[in-house]
Each structure stands twice: as structure tokens, then as C-alpha cells.
Amino acid sequence: MLLPHMTIIQRAARNVSAAALSLLALASCAAQEDLASYPCPAVLPVRDASYMTKFEGQSQDLSDTLFEAKVDSILPAANCIYRNDEGKRSIVYDIRVQFLAQRGPKEREGAAKFEYFVAVTGSGGTPLARSVFPTEIPFENNATQAIVVEEVQPTIPLKEGENGDWYRIYVGFMLTEQELAYNRKNPR
């Protein structure tokens, strides 16, 4: 089969067009960010605030314990999504925290009630945001231990060039000064 006769100028124009289309295709791929490959922020418990012992009154005698609770685990994120809405980039992160509570000898209400926090830090550990959430772990059927999973969804605004590696998310109990001092005297 014979190809139609092409001039040198026509061949050059065809080659330039093919090269331009290839570059255009590559540029469009590069312009689309592969957001799925971006890292998510690390989610960590705060060591001194990852457990609590709640006493009845001012006593710190174990026989006066209402309950003990701890951040049992931080479960893998259901979603960690990078969003780009009208040029404003952010990370929306679904976090699941499992708390374990153990009933003490003075507990009579049938539940461990407490507050916990979720805090976000930026570059160099700079605090950016903190939210406090109330929760309770019911001791159903007179159980001595119980678990609850709490779900939170922080949204982290991103500056140009930032990704999840720039941020850390911390989880811990809201402790009184006395409870924090007790934790530091009795580390786990």
C-alpha cells in the first residue's frame, strides 16, 4: 500500500503536533494531584493523659476507685481524604478511638463518665486546635469492664506545599491537676 506523498514541511508539522499532544497529555496528568498517595497525619495518645483513675472524693486509695479508663487503641482511619475546594486544600480525617474502662469498688452509677480531647499540632508541634468531647462507657449487666469506640472527624486546613506529614493529632483524657499528678507518680 502506498502512502500519500508528504512534503518535508508536512512531516515536520505532523511530528511537532504529535510531540505537542504528548506534552499536553503529560502536563494534564501532572496537574491532577494523586491525592490518594498523600500521607495522613499520625494519630497518637498523649502519654500522661492516655489513662485515668477516677476516685471517690479526694482519696487516692485504690479501695476508693470509681473506675479506671485508658485509650485502648486508635483504630485505623476509615477515611483520610484530601480535599481541594475552590483552591482551599484540607484533610478530613475519620478517627476512631477505643476506650476501655474497668469498674472500681466504689462505682455505683453503672457507667464510667469522662471527657477526652482531640488536639491538632502543626509544624514544630505548634498547637492549632483542640476539641473536648464528653462520653460514657456503660457497665451493662453489672460487667466489670466495658469498651466504647468514639468517632471524630477533624478537618485540617492546609497551606500551599503542606501535606499530612506536617501535622499530628493527639488524643487524651481531660484530667484534673490531681489526676495528672497521680498518672505521673504511677506511670503505665
Side-chain angles (χ1 to χ4, degrees), residues 19-32:
L21 286 174
S22 296
L23 286 174
L24 183 60
L26 285 173
S28 69
C29 288
Q32 294 178 357

Side-chain angles (χ1 to χ4, degrees), residues 10-82:
Q10 288 172 325
R11 282 188 196 132
R14 184 187 68 180
N15 291 341
V16 168
S17 295
L21 286 174
S22 296
L23 286 174
L24 183 60
L26 285 173
S28 69
C29 288
Q32 294 178 357
E33 297 178 271
D34 184 9
L35 299 180
S37 68
Y38 283 9
C40 294
V43 183
L44 309 161
V46 176
R47 196 187 88 196
D48 287 344
S50 65
Y51 55 94
M52 79 179 326
T53 303
K54 190 64 98 176
F55 293 100
E56 181 177 68
Q58 297 298 312
S59 169
Q60 289 189 346
D61 187 281
L62 291 179
S63 64
D64 291 326
T65 302
L66 292 169
F67 65 85
E68 292 181 303
K70 69 175 184 173
V71 176
D72 193 41
S73 64
I74 297 172
L75 304 169
N79 287 305
C80 175
I81 300 170
Y82 278 75

Side-chain angles (χ1 to χ4, degrees), residues 134-151:
T135 194
E136 73 177 60
I137 303 176
F139 296 113
E140 295 176 358
N141 301 319
N142 213 21
T144 58
Q145 288 189 343
I147 293 174
V148 70
V149 175
E150 291 284 313
E151 296 183 14

Side-chain angles (χ1 to χ4, degrees), residues 61-113:
D61 187 281
L62 291 179
S63 64
D64 291 326
T65 302
L66 292 169
F67 65 85
E68 292 181 303
K70 69 175 184 173
V71 176
D72 193 41
S73 64
I74 297 172
L75 304 169
N79 287 305
C80 175
I81 300 170
Y82 278 75
R83 289 197 176 149
N84 194 350
D85 297 326
E86 299 176 14
K88 294 181 181 178
R89 296 180 63 230
S90 63
I91 300 171
V92 179
Y93 205 175
D94 292 336
I95 299 169
R96 296 180 299 152
V97 182
Q98 181 171 296
F99 293 98
L100 170 69
Q102 183 169 341
R103 179 185 289 225
K106 295 287 184 167
E107 198 289 310
R108 303 284 181 257
E109 292 184 27
K113 297 177 184 178

